[in-house]
Amino acid sequence: MAQKGWKEISLAGLVADPGNSVAYETGTWRAFRPVIDFDKCTHCMFCWIYCPDGTIMVEDSKVLGVDLKHCKGCGICATECPRKAIIMVEEAKAQRG
Amino acid sequence: MQETQYVKGKFVALEGDRVVAEVMRQINPDVVAAYPITPQTEVVQTFSEFVADGRVDTEFIAVESEHAAMSACIGASAAGARALTATCGAGLALMWEMLWCASGLRCPIAMAVVNRSLSAPLNILTDQTDMMGARDTGWIQIYAENHQEVYDNAIQAVRIAEHPDVVLPVMHGLAGFVLGHTLGRVEMLPDEVVKEFVGSYKPRYSLLDIEHPTTFGAYDHWDYFFEHKRQQWEGMNCALKVIAEVGEEYGKLTGRHYGLVEPYMLEDAEVAIVIIGSAAGAVRVAADQMRAQGVKAGMLKIRCFRPFPPSAVAGALKDKKAIAVMDRSSCFGAEGNPVFIEVCSSLFQRGIRAKVVDYTYGLGGRDTVPGEFCQVYRDLLQVVQTGVAEPVFRYLGLRDF
Ligand code: SF4
Ligand code: SF4
């Protein structure tokens, strides 16, 4: 995202366009990536409820995966998953595949 | 030529604290959140009576501390309300964290500060340690010399704070006890004139504006925090112009004109005292006495300390042979007290190499009388005669210095 000068930005950092946090890609903070084992997952939605960034992608009551642009890698989902279906993998390793 | 017609007010004798409360009544703000502390108590006490008697529509929040008072004012201001408060000394210190939030969130709150020292040793009397300590919090600071200025500053503070080019909080200082608790003569304007002068507050953003939902106080990272601080600088820079404009407009209305600084007998003066606040009255008397003895003595009173008006100060002092800057606070370990540092920097940046000395005076409520300021003028004559401004740091009215 191109950074703006002080004349172009809102006064005092007020956020006047609600929901614009989507434009802020917190995924760049991630050191560990959640990887879901769909053989274990029962789609109980615990991870979806607990994720502080709303990055668990869901469709038709099924977990599809993680929005990696915004998942900051906090690991809350892995801790809360009752099926231990989520493991946190080192980001560098995950990227190497 | 038509004679200028000023609004006719009513002359009353009021204590400085009551003057502040009366202005708050005349303004009838949306919210006042305040906590009583000597010597400001009478402001809150008197205003709460106005609330109880139904003389204002203000939502009065009796908070549990000054930290809460400032927090509540910030919340109210963010919600789009005109919020006023008052404090002093330790109360201002307890607000510290929130002072920065008020200025950083651009909440145009106006606050009277009934200047008091900071303990320890325990002391509740006047000096400017409280406000001088808060000089970097991003608040505009103006100071009153007498009761009339307390009244006039309290009205103008609201206009300055809310000006769209400024949008910054303003603290207006008045000496504790000396002004706060003594009776003084004040010309009070009719209520409707004050209401019209301050107008209604039109916030740019408001938490209560559900058509335009706005988040206040979101986290600001290294990538934008600096830019938002630069915006605050802009508000301060603009305030220099706005304070003078509002003072001029107020002058047209009342006949009492206000600027950033006020010279007294300064034009042809050779030796000058620079001062802020109530002791300026004693300096006027001293200057008159020295003039009667043939000494070209003058005074520069600084009304507006934040933003500091460097051009006005340097312009007024540029040809003086010796200058004494009076500081009613102590900046331990610094190369000079707050007012001295600003004055010296203003001169230096404009290539003016003046002989300037710094006097600490009046700490913890110690009175400074005209005779002592006459001694300062005589000290300055000595500086002129010898050409030596040593020692630079001096104490006025201190034993065994
Ligand atoms: S908490 Fe675990 S089991 Fe439940 S939906 Fe998420 S990954 Fe699947
Ligand atoms: S690691 Fe944290 S941010 Fe990422 S999906 Fe899990 S809970 Fe959400």
Side-chain angles (χ1 to χ4, degrees), chain A residues 1-19 24 29, chain B residues 104-106 167 204-205 213-218 221-224 227-228 230-231 234:
Chain A
M1 226 190 310
Q3 295 185 339
K4 295 175 180 169
W6 64 271
K7 290 178 191 165
E8 303 164 282
I9 56 177
S10 74
L11 192 73
L14 303 190
V15 183
D17 41 343
Y24 196 72
W29 304 358
Chain B
L105 281 177
R106 309 304 289 270
V167 201
R204 222 177 299 180
Y205 301 96
T214 305
T215 301
F216 282 68
H221 221 26
W222 51 263
D223 49 359
Y224 278 104
E227 273 67 25
H228 288 123
R230 174 64 184 82
Q231 291 179 335
E234 196 63 12

Side-chain angles (χ1 to χ4, degrees), chain B residues 280-320:
Chain B
V283 179
R284 286 176 202 272
V285 176
D288 290 349
Q289 288 175 0
M290 296 308 286
R291 289 263 169 183
Q293 294 167 30
V295 176
K296 286 188 174 171
M299 173 185 80
L300 183 68
K301 183 179 83 178
I302 297 176
R303 174 190 181 225
C304 172
F305 186 71
R306 279 291 179 273
F308 193 81
S311 303
V313 170
L317 297 174
K318 61 180 186 299
D319 54 356
K320 304 308 160 205

Side-chain angles (χ1 to χ4, degrees), chain A residues 57-77:
Chain A
M57 299 184 296
V58 171
E59 209 178 291
D60 296 334
S61 304
K62 298 272 185 225
V63 169
L64 297 179
V66 178
D67 164 13
L68 291 174
K69 274 195 176 138
H70 296 98
C71 164
K72 63 192 177 197
C74 65
I76 290 172
C77 53

Side-chain angles (χ1 to χ4, degrees), chain B residues 10 18-29 32 46-47 49-51 54-58 84 151 188-192 194-195:
Chain B
K10 188 175 74 177
R18 282 196 171 261
V19 172
V20 173
E22 285 288 348
V23 174
M24 289 162 86
R25 178 188 62 71
Q26 294 189 303
I27 291 170
N28 194 9
V32 168
T46 309
F47 187 75
E49 282 167 15
F50 294 147
V51 175
R55 298 183 68 192
V56 287
D57 313 309
T58 306
L84 307 182
Y151 181 80
M188 276 185 67
L189 300 170
D191 291 358
E192 61 278 9
V194 175
K195 281 194 177 60

Side-chain angles (χ1 to χ4, degrees), chain B residues 46-114:
Chain B
T46 309
F47 187 75
S48 62
E49 282 167 15
F50 294 147
V51 175
D53 294 345
R55 298 183 68 192
V56 287
D57 313 309
T58 306
E59 182 74 35
F60 179 76
I61 311 174
V63 285
E64 73 275 19
S65 76
E66 284 83 359
H67 190 281
M70 188 43 61
S71 301
C73 283
I74 292 167
S77 181
R82 175 178 278 158
L84 307 182
T85 186
T87 192
C88 69
L92 186 66
L94 187 53
M95 283 182 181
W96 207 259
E97 178 192 9
M98 304 319 294
L99 293 177
W100 293 83
C101 293
S103 59
L105 281 177
R106 309 304 289 270
C107 297
I109 299 161
M111 169 163 71
V113 180
V114 191

